[in-house]
Amino acid sequence: MTIASYRRILLKLSGEALMGDGQYGIDPATVSRMAAEVKAAKDTGLEICLVIGGGNIFRGMAGAAKGMDRAQADYMGMLATVMNALAMQSALEQLGVPTRVQSAIEMDKVCEPVIRRRAQRHLEKGRVVIFAAGVGAPYFTTDSGAALRAAEMKCDALLKGTSVDGVYNADPKLDPNAVRYETLSYDRVLQDNLKVMDASAVALCRDNSIPIVVFSIREQGNLARVLSGEGTATTVHQKD
Ligand code: UDP
C-alpha cells in the first residue's frame, strides 16, 4: 500500500509540537496551526486518529529523576496528555472539524472513555478521534499508546510528526553529513537503536505490520503533502 492510498491513519504528535517557541506548556497559536494541519489532511478524505504526548507539561521520567515515585509521576504525565487532547479538540472545533476525545483513564466529565467500536463509529461519521492518556498504564509512553490505537483501530499507518524530516543515520542537527533513510526495517531501527519511537512501540508496529512514517510537522502543509506521497519522510516497514 502506498502512502497516497491510505484511508485511515493515526497521527502521533509529541507534546512539544504544541509548545511553539516556549519552553513549556500549550501555545494556543501553535495548537491552532497543528489543528489546521490535521484539517487539511482530513479534507483529503482521510479518517484520522490522533495521539498527543504530554512532554510539554510533564514527563514521568523527569519526575522520577527528581525523586518522585515513577508510577505516580507517570500518572501525572498521562493527565498532561489529556490537557493537550482537550486543547487540540478545542482548536479543531474552532476550525469546524468535529472531534471526540477518548481517554484511557476514565474522566467522564471531560471526555469519553476509550471504546473501540464507538471510536470506529466516530471515524465513519467524519469525526477526528483523539486518544488521550496513552495506554492508561505507567511505564509506557504515548508512542506505545499510538502503536496500540493504530493496531486496534486498524489504521493503515502511524504517522509520527517530529521536528526532523525523517530518520537519519546520525543526528542531522549535529552532523552535517547525516544521511536520511527513505525506508528502513523495524528490525534495523531496533538493532541500531535509532530514535524513531521507543522500542515497545516499534515492536508493536512490527508485529502488526503497521508502517511508521516519520516526517516534519514544522513546515506548513507538510502532513497533507506527505500523505499525497510528495513530501519528505522516512517509512519504517518490514523490509530494509
Ligand atoms: N505516560 C504513561 N503511560 C502511557 C503514556 C504516557 O505513563 O501510556 C506518561 C509518561 O510519564 C510520559 C508522559 O505520560 O512521560 C507523557 O507522555 P510522552 O512522554 O509519551 O509524551 P511526548 O514525549 O510524546 O510529548
Side-chain angles (χ1 to χ4, degrees):
M1 193 176 218
T2 60
I3 289 185
S5 58
Y6 292 158
R7 233 177 29 80
R8 177 182 292 176
I9 59 147
L10 187 140
L11 172 65
K12 157 78 208 289
L13 298 176
S14 68
E16 273 122 9
L18 309 187
M19 209 162 61
D21 294 328
Q23 296 294 308
Y24 179 80
I26 299 169
D27 173 42
T30 307
V31 182
S32 295
R33 199 174 71 67
M34 293 299 149
E37 288 289 305
V38 175
K39 182 179 190 304
K42 190 179 170 296
D43 286 347
T44 68
L46 273 175
E47 293 179 352
I48 300 185
C49 304
L50 259 179
V51 166
I52 307 174
N56 55 322
I57 301 171
F58 197 83
R59 268 210 184 87
M61 290 279 258
K66 291 183 184 150
M68 282 186 74
D69 177 77
R70 169 73 193 272
Q72 179 85 341
D74 278 342
Y75 279 112
M76 290 173 66
M78 286 183 254
L79 296 179
T81 72
V82 180
M83 291 213 271
N84 284 337
L86 295 180
M88 178 57 86
Q89 177 175 39
S90 170
L92 282 167
E93 287 185 342
Q94 272 168 16
L95 297 176
V97 180
T99 307
R100 295 290 184 271
V101 175
Q102 293 200 344
S103 171
I105 296 174
E106 287 188 31
M107 232 180 275
D108 61 9
K109 293 285 190 292
V110 292
C111 58
E112 299 176 2
V114 177
I115 299 174
R116 186 177 64 89
R117 286 174 188 279
R118 196 159 173 185
Q120 221 151 1
R121 192 79 189 108
H122 289 322
L123 293 171
E124 285 160 13
K125 285 189 171 172
R127 297 170 183 146
V128 169
V129 181
I130 308 176
F131 291 102
V135 305
Y139 298 96
F140 284 93
T141 64
T142 50
D143 282 351
S144 293
L148 172 66
R149 302 303 169 211
E152 67 174 336
M153 298 311 297
K154 301 190 170 55
C155 292
D156 297 317
L158 193 169
L159 277 88
K160 175 152 170 142
T162 70
S163 55
V164 281
D165 60 358
V167 183
Y168 285 75
N169 61 352
D171 185 344
K173 286 176 187 153
L174 303 175
D175 183 350
N177 299 318
V179 179
R180 187 178 59 80
Y181 296 102
E182 201 58 39
T183 63
L184 80 169
S185 69
Y186 305 107
D187 287 336
R188 172 86 80 89
V189 169
L190 292 172
Q191 268 157 29
D192 296 357
N193 203 17
L194 296 171
K195 301 277 171 268
V196 177
M197 296 199 302
D198 49 58
S200 57
V202 174
L204 195 53
C205 287
R206 178 190 61 191
D207 296 349
N208 293 285
S209 291
I210 301 165
I212 305 167
V213 181
V214 183
F215 72 101
S216 166
I217 193 77
R218 295 205 165 205
E219 295 88 55
Q220 198 135 16
N222 219 22
L223 174 60
R225 219 170 1 257
V226 166
L227 285 165
S228 71
E230 285 161 20
T232 308
T234 297
T235 302
V236 183
H237 55 191
Q238 299 288 10
K239 283 180 283 196
D240 249 329

